[in-house]
Amino acid sequence: GIEEGSPGIPQTIHLHAVDVVGDKEIPQDCFHVGTQFGVRIVVDEAFPPVVRKELHSAISKIKRPLLKNLLIAYEPIWAVGTGHTDDPKAIFEMAILIRRDLQKILGQKISDKIPVLYGGSVKASNAKVFLRDSGVDGLLVGGASLDAKQFAKIVKDASEL
């Protein structure tokens, strides 16, 4: 389905099993691809061959001008809202895999400008470790963003690194 974004906020198309975008079927359940104001790809799979395949598939459908607003977030589906998080070492390895594949697909000049984020039960108690030790450029914060104190601590910790 499609969620309408307000001006300046990416419109997001959630792809599940098989969704149709335009006249093309996209058989994937691992990505959310945003359009119009920017592009977000959320990788919710932790199996590298699947990640590679789906990353290539999703990026091939993005118009070149939108690549300047692309961001990739690794958010394992099993970690979303569960309180369980991935290990910083595993996140680091996934970030490297994503960056290497972006370089292969888009070239270094473009891929170096694309931030890789981690999301999946990010909270004030673990955000600093993720930012410091997992090789990501930022965090995709879900439920913790609804708690002002917790979110303020995440922002504070991020600004100190």
Side-chain angles (χ1 to χ4, degrees):
I2 299 178
E3 293 177 8
E4 292 299 324
S6 57
I9 305 295
Q11 183 179 42
T12 302
I13 302 170
H14 294 274
L15 303 174
H16 302 283
V18 176
D19 268 344
V20 176
V21 176
D23 60 350
K24 296 181 181 175
E25 281 195 348
I26 303 173
Q28 55 186 309
D29 59 359
C30 297
F31 289 95
H32 307 273
V33 180
T35 58
Q36 191 175 4
F37 301 108
V39 181
R40 293 182 294 194
I41 298 176
V42 179
V43 180
D44 62 9
E45 172 64 59
F47 189 56
V50 174
V51 171
R52 283 189 171 107
K53 179 181 175 212
E54 298 299 345
L55 188 62
H56 284 257
S57 175
I59 288 177
S60 72
K61 293 166 180 55
I62 298 170
K63 295 178 183 174
R64 275 306 230 217
L66 292 176
L67 290 174
K68 68 179 184 221
N69 297 322
L70 177 64
L71 67 83
I72 309 289
Y74 169 52
E75 185 175 31
I77 194 72
W78 52 265
V80 177
T82 65
H84 301 289
T85 61
D86 209 347
D87 176 72
K89 184 178 183 220
I91 298 166
F92 184 81
E93 290 170 1
M94 185 60 69
I96 288 173
L97 179 142
I98 291 168
R99 285 191 173 99
R100 283 184 182 154
D101 276 29
L102 286 173
Q103 271 189 347
K104 289 177 188 173
I105 300 165
L106 301 170
Q108 186 166 354
K109 184 178 179 183
I110 294 172
S111 66
D112 282 351
K113 295 177 183 175
I114 299 172
V116 176
L117 312 178
Y118 173 74
S121 296
V122 172
K123 49 193 170 218
S125 62
N126 60 24
K128 194 171 198 172
V129 171
F130 292 142
L131 289 168
R132 186 186 61 223
D133 300 339
S134 63
V136 294
D137 302 305
L139 301 171
L140 185 63
V141 182
S145 68
L146 302 175
D147 179 326
K149 286 182 181 179
Q150 198 170 162
F151 191 64
K153 181 169 178 0
I154 293 170
V155 172
K156 180 181 178 286
D157 287 348
S159 69
E160 293 173 352
L161 294 175

